[in-house]
Amino acid sequence: MQDTTTDFSHVKPGDTPYRGEGLRDFFQYRDLGIAAATHGKVIAHLVRAHSAPEKGTGWHRHEADFQIVIMLKGWAKFMYDDKETLVEAGDCVHQRPGLVHYLFDYSPDMEYLEIVGPADFKSIDAPAPCAVPAPTPWDTPADTQKVDRAA
C-alpha cells in the first residue's frame, strides 16, 4: 500500500536560502522542505549562528512529540534541566518531550540539523531550575557582530 499522506521532497543547497525569520533572531534557518512534504507532521531545518550569544534562548520547553538536534559544525552548550551539556560536531541529542532546556553558548561556526514533530511545535517559556553559566566571548571584535555568511 502506498503512503499518500506525505509527498516526495528533494531540496538542494541553492533551493532554500538561510533566513533570519525563525524562533531566534541570533540564528539563521534553512528550510529543508520536510514540513511541506509531510503536511506539517515534521519539520527539518538547518540552524546556524548569526551573531554572538548574549543571553541565549532562555529557559523553555517545546510542545512536541519528537525532537532531535544533530550538531554538524562547531559546538553549543545547553542546560538540560540542571545539567550543563556540551554538544559538539557529530553529536546527536534527543530532547524528550517537555524537557526544560537553555542553549546559552555556541561557537561562531555552529550549525545543526533540527528535526521536530509536529512542524508547528510550540516553544514555551519555563522557570529557571538553576543558574546558567555566562557564554564564552568570541575571540575577535568582528566575531561579536553578525557572522558574515553568504546566503
Side-chain angles (χ1 to χ4, degrees):
M1 182 184 285
Q2 184 177 2
D3 179 4
T4 58
T5 60
T6 62
D7 300 324
F8 176 79
S9 176
H10 179 185
V11 174
K12 291 182 172 279
D15 293 345
T16 57
Y18 278 93
R19 299 184 185 276
E21 305 97 28
L23 192 57
R24 313 288 177 197
D25 62 0
F26 44 87
F27 291 155
Q28 291 181 323
Y29 301 82
R30 182 172 160 244
D31 179 36
L32 298 177
I34 304 304
T38 63
H39 304 281
K41 292 178 189 160
V42 177
I43 189 169
H45 50 223
L46 296 174
V47 181
R48 69 182 184 187
H50 181 55
S51 59
E54 292 181 15
K55 59 183 179 176
T57 62
W59 286 103
H60 65 284
R61 64 180 175 79
H62 298 294
E63 287 185 352
D65 299 324
F66 176 80
Q67 180 179 14
I68 62 170
V69 169
I70 301 170
M71 191 63 63
L72 302 174
K73 297 178 187 174
W75 55 266
K77 291 181 183 177
F78 291 81
M79 295 296 296
Y80 290 111
D81 290 325
D82 62 350
K83 182 181 177 192
E84 183 176 336
T85 303
L86 174 65
V87 180
E88 299 173 287
D91 292 358
C92 179
V93 175
H94 171 251
Q95 293 181 184
R96 66 172 163 71
L99 177 65
V100 175
H101 59 286
Y102 191 133
L103 188 159
F104 68 92
D105 198 5
Y106 48 87
S107 62
D109 64 339
M110 181 212 72
E111 185 174 346
Y112 62 85
L113 169 65
E114 181 176 51
I115 303 170
V116 188
D120 65 349
F121 71 97
K122 305 288 185 259
S123 184
I124 310 294
D125 290 342
C130 65
V132 175
T136 307
W138 285 357
D139 294 333
T140 64
D143 286 339
T144 63
Q145 304 302 314
K146 295 195 184 309
V147 178
D148 182 21
R149 296 185 184 268

